[in-house]
Amino acid sequence: MAEPHDAVEVIVAKRDGGSLSDSQVDWVVDAYTRGVVADEQMSALAMAILLNGMDRREVARWTAAMIATGERMDFSSLSRPTADKHSTGGVGDKITLPLAPLVAACGVAVPQLSGRGLGHTGGTLDKLESIAGWRAALTNEDMLAQLEDVGAVVCAAGAGLAPADKKLYALRDVTGTVEAIPLIASSIMSKKIAEGTGALVLDVKVGSGAFMKTLDSARELAATMVALGQDAGVHTVALLTDMATPLGLTAGNALEVRESVEVLAGGGPADVVELTLALAREMLAGAGVDDVDPAEVLASGTAMDTWRRMVSAQGGDPSAPLPTARESHVVTAPTDGVLVRLDAMAVGLAAWRLGAGRARQGDAVQAGAGVEWHARPGDSVATGQPLLTLHTDEPDRFARALASLDGGWEIAPPGSSYDPSPIVLDRIS
Ligand code: URA
């Protein structure tokens, strides 16, 4: 039991730019989780942390205190090493879907505890739930059994894992304090450390469609998380990856499952394949497996077999047709030229407004809703050619989705040059 403190004393210490002591951190995190510190007091503290930051010791202690509010999982009984990936969230980011079965097919177990989408970024569980019968909730025993048998699990984090984070994340969401780097880093890493993975690869997104809009802020977040992981004995590296442009050619739940299956079948958009392989190589290296080439495993079809077994093990039918939306609307190119910009935030907002995402926790999402784009930056387009297709079950959603795409793409005159950004911008270890 942490030494008792007073909530106002802790808030004032951080408000005045001080560093919180270990015992203040232990107390306030535990007392907030138990309901002794009130939401309005934690809101004030979260805002003081956003404004004044935390040093490395404070963030490490805050993370440990959040882990201590719940259970820790243990995968040491498995016959193979474990590696997990966490993305800070982006538009069209379906990478977990091909990545988890691919890495499992390479001999490393992937315990992937995932979340649901909130706002313009999609959630992996929402995507998988567009597969008939698939269920996200597993007990810890089911998860362990599936990891041993199939090698990959994508499921919802149980309520027992870092309950402090669940409460604090919901509070941050409604108090303008999501963007605090110490709070993002401790939120993500408390769950990953409590989950008990041996190796962790962080995909820190940078650009308009990401939390972190600049390379400098993404580097700071990545370095904070890598230090937290390493201090806790988890082999952790981070890739900083581009999220100015959305990933692949689709954003939306079933649309992204379809694209992921194309990747597992040996096709799919080049950027999705490239990022999947880059993250797979890091996960395998982190788990100590250096004699398997994930590109060969992808080409061999064994990752597709693992995908099918992974979906079936959680009640899903991998052969069932994916749902499609009832209505669609095509946006065509108004002129000949070169597409030089497709903004991730604009596409993410459009997909959300079409019904692929939710406005509040607990809202239902539409499986078939979303956006397909038929050209990527750098592609030449001709007048009248389809540029984007919008999908939804409710046609009255088109107007607001189209409004969010206004100014979200740009066609330069024919022959214009385009300088593509690499998908992986930096690596932090
Ligand atoms: N994802 C999380 O789990 N927590 C954050 O604070 C931000 C993104």
Side-chain angles (χ1 to χ4, degrees):
M1 177 63 76
E3 179 190 326
H5 286 272
D6 177 73
V8 177
E9 158 222 317
V10 179
I11 297 165
V12 167
K14 187 45 77 183
R15 182 200 67 189
D16 293 346
S19 200
L20 302 182
S21 69
D22 288 353
S23 105
Q24 284 176 318
V25 168
D26 292 351
W27 177 80
V28 80
V29 170
D30 176 65
Y32 175 60
T33 311
R34 289 186 292 112
V36 171
V37 167
D39 276 349
E40 57 271 25
Q41 294 175 313
M42 188 51 107
S43 307
L45 181 58
M47 187 58 82
I49 292 169
L50 181 133
L51 296 173
N52 291 328
M54 275 181 159
D55 61 32
R56 180 168 174 171
R57 178 197 54 80
E58 285 176 290
V59 189
R61 192 75 185 195
W62 188 275
T63 307
M66 295 223 292
I67 295 170
T69 61
E71 63 178 0
R72 292 188 76 146
M73 298 185 71
D74 179 8
F75 298 130
S76 57
S77 62
L78 292 177
S79 61
R80 37 185 162 174
T82 50
D84 192 4
K85 184 265 317 189
H86 181 86
S87 156
T88 56
V91 178
D93 184 2
K94 68 275 298 171
I95 299 293
T96 293
L97 275 50
L99 180 66
L102 172 60
V103 171
C106 294
V108 171
V110 185
Q112 177 83 54
L113 298 178
S114 293
R116 293 180 192 282
L118 191 64
H120 74 282
T121 61
T124 300
L125 301 180
D126 296 323
K127 294 171 196 177
L128 283 164
E129 278 175 350
S130 62
I131 301 174
W134 188 87
R135 59 193 162 81
L138 293 186
T139 63
N140 290 356
E141 292 71 35
D142 288 343
M143 189 179 174
L144 259 183
Q146 186 172 327
L147 275 175
E148 187 60 47
D149 180 29
V150 180
V153 175
V154 182
C155 66
L161 214 66
D165 178 62
K166 289 204 174 57
K167 204 170 166 193
L168 183 55
Y169 191 85
L171 185 76
R172 287 164 57 211
D173 203 29
V174 293
T175 55
T177 51
V178 167
E179 289 82 358
I181 286 180
L183 296 180
I184 298 177
S186 55
S187 165
I188 292 172
M189 294 306 293
S190 62
K191 288 172 285 197
K192 293 294 160 182
I193 295 166
E195 169 200 285
T197 184
L200 176 64
V201 180
L202 298 160
D203 180 1
V204 179
K205 302 288 186 197
V206 191
S208 78
F211 275 128
M212 298 293 128
K213 309 290 181 202
T214 65
L215 255 181
D216 281 350
S217 60
R219 266 198 199 102
E220 187 185 337
L221 175 62
T224 308
M225 292 195 290
V226 167
L228 284 172
Q230 288 173 350
D231 287 354
V234 181
H235 184 290
T236 310
V237 301
L239 298 184
L240 305 191
T241 71
D242 179 65
M243 190 34 70
T245 301
L247 262 172
L249 292 168
T250 59
N253 300 312
L255 290 169
E256 293 190 46
V257 173
R258 189 191 75 200
E259 193 168 279
S260 303
V261 172
E262 285 166 13
V263 170
L264 288 161
D271 60 334
V272 178
V273 176
E274 183 184 338
L275 185 53
T276 302
L277 291 175
L279 291 165
R281 289 193 180 100
E282 293 288 354
M283 288 168 77
L284 294 175
V289 173
D290 50 16
D291 55 351
V292 184
D293 178 0
E296 281 176 19
V297 174
L298 189 60
S300 74
T302 49
M304 175 69 101
D305 296 341
T306 306
W307 158 262
R308 295 180 66 84
R309 292 176 59 218
M310 178 180 108
V311 169
S312 304
Q314 288 173 245
D317 177 358
S319 305
L322 289 163
T324 52
R326 282 194 288 275
E327 307 284 341
S328 60
H329 176 95
V330 178
V331 177
T332 55
T335 173
D336 291 355
V338 178
L339 183 69
V340 287
R341 189 171 61 83
L342 179 65
D343 182 67
M345 188 61 161
V347 171
L349 269 181
W352 177 57
R353 289 180 170 178
L354 289 164
R358 51 175 67 77
R360 288 162 179 270
Q361 255 162 358
D363 284 357
V365 296
Q366 292 182 28
V371 181
E372 283 181 272
W373 43 107
H374 306 289
R376 290 193 52 81
D379 290 349
S380 291
V381 295
T383 309
Q385 170 187 328
L387 208 53
L388 299 146
T389 305
L390 279 52
H391 301 273
T392 181
D393 291 335
E394 298 164 86
D396 55 353
R397 289 178 177 262
F398 283 131
R400 291 197 70 226
L402 287 166
S404 60
L405 286 165
D406 223 18
W409 46 271
E410 191 182 334
I411 296 175
S416 296
S417 64
Y418 173 74
D419 192 12
S421 155
I423 183 100
V424 178
L425 303 168
D426 203 353
R427 177 180 188 278
I428 310 246
S429 61

